[in-house]
Each structure stands twice: as structure tokens, then as C-alpha cells.
Coordinates of all heavy atoms in Angstrom, one line a residue:
A1 N -11.1 16.5 4.8 CA -10.2 16.0 5.8 C -11.0 15.8 7.1 O -10.9 14.7 7.8 CB -9.1 17.0 6.0
R2 N -11.9 16.7 7.4 CA -12.7 16.5 8.6 C -13.6 15.3 8.6 O -13.7 14.5 9.4 CB -13.5 17.8 8.9 CG -14.3 17.7 10.3 CD -14.8 19.1 10.7 NE -15.7 19.6 9.7 CZ -16.3 20.8 9.9 NH1 -16.1 21.5 10.9 NH2 -17.1 21.2 9.0
E3 N -14.2 15.1 7.4 CA -15.1 14.0 7.2 C -14.3 12.7 7.3 O -14.8 11.7 7.9 CB -15.8 14.1 5.9 CG -16.8 15.2 5.7 CD -17.3 15.5 4.3 OE1 -16.6 14.9 3.4 OE2 -18.2 16.2 4.1
A4 N -13.1 12.6 6.7 CA -12.3 11.4 6.8 C -11.9 11.2 8.3 O -11.8 10.0 8.7 CB -11.0 11.6 6.0
L5 N -11.6 12.2 9.1 CA -11.2 12.0 10.4 C -12.4 11.5 11.2 O -12.3 10.6 12.1 CB -10.8 13.3 11.1 CG -9.5 13.9 10.5 CD1 -9.2 15.3 11.0 CD2 -8.3 13.0 10.9
T6 N -13.6 12.0 10.9 CA -14.8 11.5 11.5 C -15.1 10.1 11.2 O -15.5 9.3 12.1 CB -16.1 12.4 11.1 OG1 -15.8 13.8 11.4 CG2 -17.3 11.9 11.7
R7 N -14.9 9.7 10.0 CA -15.0 8.3 9.7 C -14.1 7.4 10.4 O -14.5 6.3 10.9 CB -14.9 8.1 8.1 CG -16.0 8.7 7.3 CD -16.0 8.2 5.8 NE -14.7 8.4 5.2 CZ -14.4 9.5 4.5 NH1 -15.3 10.5 4.4 NH2 -13.2 9.6 3.9
A8 N -12.8 7.9 10.4 CA -11.9 7.0 11.1 C -12.1 6.9 12.6 O -12.0 5.8 13.2 CB -10.5 7.7 11.0
R9 N -12.7 8.0 13.2 CA -13.0 8.0 14.6 C -14.1 7.0 14.9 O -14.2 6.2 15.9 CB -13.4 9.3 15.1 CG -13.6 9.5 16.6 CD -12.3 9.3 17.3 NE -12.4 9.5 18.7 CZ -12.9 8.5 19.6 NH1 -13.2 7.4 19.2 NH2 -13.0 8.9 20.9
A10 N -15.2 7.0 14.0 CA -16.3 6.1 14.1 C -15.8 4.7 13.9 O -16.4 3.8 14.7 CB -17.3 6.5 13.0
T11 N -14.9 4.4 13.1 CA -14.3 3.0 12.9 C -13.6 2.4 14.2 O -13.9 1.4 14.6 CB -13.3 2.9 11.7 OG1 -13.9 3.3 10.5 CG2 -12.6 1.6 11.6
L12 N -12.9 3.3 14.9 CA -12.3 3.0 16.1 C -13.4 2.8 17.2 O -13.3 1.7 17.9 CB -11.4 4.1 16.5 CG -10.0 4.2 15.8 CD1 -9.3 5.4 16.3 CD2 -9.2 2.9 16.0
A13 N -14.4 3.7 17.2 CA -15.4 3.5 18.2 C -16.2 2.2 18.1 O -16.7 1.6 19.1 CB -16.4 4.7 18.2
Q14 N -16.3 1.7 16.8 CA -17.0 0.4 16.6 C -16.2 -0.7 16.7 O -16.6 -1.9 16.5 CB -17.7 0.5 15.2 CG -18.8 1.6 15.0 CD -19.2 1.8 13.5 OE1 -19.2 0.9 12.8 NE2 -19.5 3.1 13.2
K15 N -14.9 -0.5 17.1 CA -13.9 -1.6 17.2 C -13.8 -2.5 15.9 O -13.7 -3.7 16.1 CB -14.4 -2.5 18.4 CG -14.4 -1.7 19.8 CD -14.6 -2.5 20.9 CE -14.7 -1.7 22.2 NZ -13.6 -0.9 22.5
L16 N -13.9 -1.9 14.8 CA -13.7 -2.5 13.5 C -12.2 -2.7 13.3 O -11.4 -2.1 14.0 CB -14.3 -1.7 12.4 CG -15.9 -1.5 12.5 CD1 -16.4 -0.6 11.4 CD2 -16.6 -2.9 12.4
P17 N -11.9 -3.5 12.3 CA -10.4 -3.9 12.0 C -9.6 -2.6 11.8 O -10.1 -1.7 11.1 CB -10.5 -4.7 10.8 CG -11.8 -5.4 10.9 CD -12.7 -4.4 11.5
I18 N -8.5 -2.5 12.3 CA -7.6 -1.4 12.2 C -7.2 -1.0 10.8 O -7.0 0.2 10.6 CB -6.3 -1.6 13.1 CG1 -5.6 -0.2 13.4 CG2 -5.4 -2.5 12.4 CD1 -6.3 0.7 14.3
D19 N -7.2 -2.0 9.9 CA -6.8 -1.6 8.5 C -7.9 -0.7 7.9 O -7.6 0.0 6.9 CB -6.7 -2.8 7.7 CG -7.9 -3.7 7.6 OD1 -8.5 -3.9 8.6 OD2 -8.2 -4.1 6.5
M20 N -9.1 -0.7 8.4 CA -10.1 0.2 7.8 C -9.9 1.7 8.2 O -10.3 2.5 7.4 CB -11.6 -0.3 8.4 CG -12.0 -1.6 7.9 SD -13.6 -2.1 8.5 CE -14.6 -1.0 7.7
V21 N -9.2 1.9 9.3 CA -8.8 3.2 9.6 C -7.9 3.8 8.6 O -7.8 5.1 8.3 CB -8.3 3.3 11.1 CG1 -7.8 4.7 11.4 CG2 -9.3 2.9 12.0
S22 N -6.9 3.0 8.2 CA -5.9 3.5 7.3 C -6.4 4.2 6.1 O -5.8 5.2 5.6 CB -4.8 2.4 7.0 OG -5.4 1.4 6.2
T23 N -7.4 3.7 5.5 CA -8.0 4.3 4.3 C -8.5 5.7 4.5 O -8.1 6.6 3.7 CB -9.2 3.5 3.7 OG1 -8.7 2.1 3.5 CG2 -9.7 4.1 2.5
D24 N -9.1 5.9 5.6 CA -9.6 7.4 6.0 C -8.4 8.2 6.3 O -8.4 9.4 6.0 CB -10.5 7.2 7.1 CG -11.8 6.6 6.8 OD1 -12.3 6.7 5.6 OD2 -12.4 5.8 7.6
L25 N -7.4 7.7 6.9 CA -6.2 8.5 7.3 C -5.5 9.0 6.0 O -5.0 10.1 5.9 CB -5.2 7.7 8.1 CG -5.7 7.4 9.7 CD1 -4.6 6.9 10.4 CD2 -6.3 8.5 10.2
R26 N -5.4 8.1 5.0 CA -4.8 8.5 3.7 C -5.6 9.6 3.1 O -5.1 10.5 2.4 CB -4.8 7.1 2.8 CG -3.7 6.2 3.1 CD -3.5 5.3 2.0 NE -2.8 4.0 2.4 CZ -3.4 3.0 2.7 NH1 -4.8 2.9 2.7 NH2 -2.8 1.9 3.2
D27 N -7.0 9.5 3.1 CA -7.8 10.6 2.6 C -7.5 11.9 3.3 O -7.5 12.9 2.6 CB -9.3 10.2 2.7 CG -9.7 9.0 1.8 OD1 -9.0 8.8 0.8 OD2 -10.8 8.5 2.1
A28 N -7.4 11.9 4.6 CA -7.1 13.2 5.2 C -5.7 13.7 4.9 O -5.6 14.9 4.8 CB -7.2 12.9 6.8
V29 N -4.7 12.8 4.9 CA -3.4 13.2 4.5 C -3.4 13.8 3.1 O -2.7 14.8 2.9 CB -2.4 12.0 4.5 CG1 -1.1 12.3 3.9 CG2 -2.2 11.5 6.0
A30 N -4.1 13.2 2.2 CA -4.2 13.8 0.8 C -4.8 15.1 0.8 O -4.5 16.0 0.0 CB -5.0 12.8 -0.1
S31 N -5.9 15.3 1.6 CA -6.5 16.6 1.7 C -5.6 17.7 2.1 O -5.6 18.8 1.6 CB -7.8 16.5 2.6 OG -8.8 15.6 2.1

């Protein structure tokens, strides 16, 4: 879960498309 949150935070910091964040959030929710 922590790794997924870290990836999602990095995606936001890099200003990448918002849909890329949703994949990592699903991983954290599943954990």
C-alpha cells in the first residue's frame, strides 16, 4: 500500500495524466 501511494504521489509530482494515479490508488485500496 505504501509503495502504491508513493507511485501515485510521484505521478502527481510529474504532472502526468490523472488516470495513471487511479491504477495505484486501486492497488492501495486492494492492499
Side-chain angles (χ1 to χ4, degrees):
R2 183 169 61 180
E3 291 170 350
L5 293 169
T6 301
R7 292 194 303 269
R9 188 68 177 83
T11 298
L12 286 176
Q14 296 171 34
K15 302 186 183 304
L16 296 174
I18 195 71
D19 61 319
M20 296 179 65
V21 176
S22 63
T23 299
D24 294 322
L25 295 191
R26 285 194 200 94
D27 289 343
V29 167
S31 295

